[in-house]
């Protein structure tokens, strides 16, 4: 797999961003490679309403900011149009609980009569929304991880990934590089279903890895990890799989660093442990942590280079996978609205999404699988410093899942 040296990538992205200040932005009205005009060059139709469910307040707000940025960047680059129709984007606060997220979705459906919905950070919210979305027959293009239990749906699509996939992607590599026995730690899921940890453990053992004792679970949202880290240190484990995200990930990594484990001790994790805003707050404590994710800013493809440059120009930072997945959600809606029949409604839009085929994405090309989640490549990343920059640096391609 071809990818950029970190220094080369940053120079390239910076140059692209500078060029973007003077060069016109390529929009969907440009001719395609076969000489035909894309959707936005065709006659348009009435404006469409799209509902966005993201946390505007509370503990998930930073995830919501990234998803909001990604979707709005796509709109900015396409003259606030999807499928050559003007867009009215209606945002509602997902809040911290599944109940709050469900109420937000119901408001969009009943009061705003949106054509489709997007967003949703909390996996438990996605489960709570299932019956609401399927009954209303309004497509929901979710842009964050979703539970594997969400099967058999017709109107729920996801541009991110199934929550079990990061662990499955890194398990074989971790088994070959654990150096002995591996401890598993993670937060107790409020729903009582730790599917992510089970998926990793099964794949890890299947690849010949040795698990050190039972998974050591900590309270959901907890910030004191001294006891569990002490247990791992005294267990004789030579490596660890850690499943945390958000503020818990920040505190866990900082306390792991303070615990002064041996330099040979390795930490493996889903990408959420060091992704986006959390890595900035973890700082040097995150050095050398290995994660599996469906995206890295180092990916060497033309779509990613443009995305990085445009995102840096708009927001002054490197995009996270949450921003990328939301950007792709807008791309899915753009293509599907343009490809739907003339009598555009939620039913014909949903059918058009099912016909889309491959999506040209910053992560590389992908398409929806039968489970309405991306069939996509997964990458191994390692947190490393390059000068003043700390990043999840692309190390290798792991496998394709979906």
């Amino acid at each position: 797999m071809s990818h950029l040296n970190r220094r080369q990538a940053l120079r390239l992205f910076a140059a692209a961003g500078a060029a973007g200040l003077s060069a016109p932005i390529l929009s969907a009205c440009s001719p395609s490679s076969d000489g035909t005009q894309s959707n936005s060059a065709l006659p348009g139709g009435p404006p469409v309403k799209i509902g966005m469910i993201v946390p505007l307040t509370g503990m998930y707000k930073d995830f919501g900011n990234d998803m909001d940025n990604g979707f709005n960047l796509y709109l900015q680059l396409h003259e606030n149009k999807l499928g050559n129709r003007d867009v009215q984007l209606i945002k509602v606060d997902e809040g911290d609980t599944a109940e709050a997220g469900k109420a937000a979705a119901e408001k969009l459906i009943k009061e705003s009569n949106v054509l489709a919905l997007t967003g949703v950070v909390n996996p438990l919210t996605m489960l709570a929304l299932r019956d609401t979305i399927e009954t209303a027959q309004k497509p929901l293009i979710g842009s964050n991880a979703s539970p594997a239990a969400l099967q058999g749906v017709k109107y729920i699509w996801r541009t991110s990934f199934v929550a079990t996939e990061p662990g499955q992607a890194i398990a074989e590599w971790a088994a070959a590089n654990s150096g002995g026995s591996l401890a598993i730690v993670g937060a107790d899921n409020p729903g009582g279903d730790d599917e992510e940890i089970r998926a990793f453990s099964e794949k890890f053992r299947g690849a010949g890895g040795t698990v050190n004792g039972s998974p050591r679970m900590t309270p959901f949202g907890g910030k004191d990890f001294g006891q569990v880290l002490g247990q791992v240190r005294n267990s004789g484990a030579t490596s660890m799989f850690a499943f945390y995200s958000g503020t818990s990930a920040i505190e866990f990594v900082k306390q792991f660093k303070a615990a002064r484990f041996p330099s040979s001790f390795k930490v493996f994790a889903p990408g959420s442990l060091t992704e986006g805003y959390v890595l900035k707050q973890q700082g040097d404590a995150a050095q050398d942590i290995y994660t599996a994710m469906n995206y890295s800013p180092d990916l060497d493809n033309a779509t990613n280079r443009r995305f990085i440059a445009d995102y840096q120009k708009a927001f002054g930072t490197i995009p996270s996978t949450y921003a990328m997945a939301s950007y792709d959600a807008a791309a899915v809606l753009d293509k599907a609205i343009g490809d739907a029949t003339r009598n555009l409604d939620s039913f014909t839009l949903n059918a058009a999404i099912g016909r889309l085929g491959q999506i040209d994405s910053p992560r590389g090309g992908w398409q929806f699988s039968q489970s309405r989640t991306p069939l996509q490549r997964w990458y191994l990343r390692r947190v490393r410093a390059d000068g003043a920059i700390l990043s999840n640096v692309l190390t290798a391609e792991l496998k394709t899942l979906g």
Side-chain angles (χ1 to χ4, degrees), residues 45-50 82-83 85 113-117 133 136-141 154-155 157 332-355:
V48 295
K49 293 180 180 180
I50 304 297
L82 295 176
R85 294 179 184 236
N113 191 29
V114 294
L115 176 70
L117 304 94
I133 297 300
Q137 297 185 336
K138 300 276 187 180
L140 165 62
I141 298 88
K154 183 177 180 180
Y155 283 86
W157 309 78
V332 164
L333 285 169
D334 186 19
K335 191 173 181 181
I337 291 171
D339 290 349
T341 61
R342 292 184 179 180
N343 298 319
L344 176 66
D345 58 22
S346 296
F347 179 82
T348 59
L349 174 60
N350 199 64
I353 295 173
R355 299 191 300 264

Side-chain angles (χ1 to χ4, degrees), residues 167-314:
Q168 292 173 332
I170 202 172
E172 291 180 11
W173 191 88
N177 293 274
S178 62
S181 67
L182 173 139
I184 298 176
V185 300
D188 272 325
N189 191 312
D193 183 11
D194 301 309
E195 59 183 8
E196 300 91 347
I197 287 177
R198 286 204 310 273
F200 169 82
S201 181
E202 290 172 3
K203 288 287 185 182
F204 181 81
R205 285 190 170 100
T210 300
V211 175
N212 184 294
S214 300
R216 297 166 172 89
M217 308 305 291
T218 59
F220 180 78
K223 296 182 180 180
D224 184 357
F225 302 99
Q227 182 176 357
V228 73
L229 287 170
Q231 292 173 356
V232 172
R233 182 168 188 147
N234 295 331
S235 71
T238 53
S239 59
M240 176 169 58
F241 177 79
F243 184 75
Y244 294 103
S245 62
T247 56
S248 293
I250 295 169
E251 290 303 317
F252 179 82
V253 168
K254 287 182 176 180
Q255 291 174 41
F256 167 77
K257 179 70 172 180
R260 298 185 179 275
F261 277 68
S263 59
S264 60
F265 191 92
K266 292 185 175 67
V267 178
F268 313 111
S272 59
L273 187 70
T274 62
E275 182 66 15
Y277 78 97
V278 301
L279 180 58
K280 295 179 182 178
Q281 297 189 44
Q282 289 163 344
D284 290 341
Q287 286 251 31
D288 294 322
I289 291 176
Y290 292 92
T291 63
M293 189 49 93
N294 61 344
Y295 177 68
S296 170
D298 287 359
L299 284 169
D300 183 15
N301 64 69
T303 303
N304 189 45
R305 291 193 291 271
R306 290 194 299 269
F307 176 59
I308 291 284
D310 291 333
Y311 198 93
Q312 283 186 308
K313 180 181 175 183

